[in-house]
Amino acid sequence: MHSAMPNQPHEYDLAFSFAGEHRDYVERTKLACEALGLRVFYDKDLSNEWWGKNFIREQRLVYEQRTLFFVPFTSDEFFRKPI
């Protein structure tokens, strides 16, 4: 997804979505992207900042407004998750 306002600066270049079973692979991918200078949204980086907030609402803001590109890591496990 990408913002409806393309001239608005984004906080993140990429936002990852994945099943927890693939966290190791996604973490390695995140580090490689950051080494290239990309700003990556990764859920573990904000775990303290989201404390007490509505998780679904916060995720929607990140994926729909604060990020240029949404990157899903699809798998059988990904599609079986309720979120």
Side-chain angles (χ1 to χ4, degrees):
M1 285 183 221
H2 118 23
S3 173
M5 294 182 273
N7 294 330
Q8 179 182 2
H10 294 89
E11 186 174 343
Y12 303 104
D13 298 307
L14 307 172
F16 294 161
S17 182
F18 58 95
E21 292 86 347
H22 303 287
R23 186 171 291 281
D24 289 341
Y25 173 76
V26 174
E27 282 188 11
R28 290 192 311 267
T29 303
K30 173 195 176 273
L31 292 173
C33 290
E34 288 176 338
L36 294 171
L38 296 169
R39 298 166 300 153
V40 180
F41 169 78
Y42 183 65
D43 62 345
K44 273 188 151 181
D45 293 340
L46 295 178
S47 57
N48 290 338
E49 291 177 35
W50 285 13
W51 188 261
K53 294 182 179 179
N54 182 311
F55 179 75
I56 300 298
R57 184 179 157 275
E58 293 300 317
Q59 273 197 324
R60 285 185 179 153
L61 286 173
V62 167
Y63 293 128
E64 294 175 7
Q65 297 175 15
R66 296 168 54 193
T67 303
L68 187 57
F69 295 105
F70 169 71
V71 182
F73 290 81
T74 58
S75 63
D76 288 339
E77 295 86 359
F78 180 86
F79 289 112
R80 282 191 241 136
K81 303 289 179 181
I83 296 177

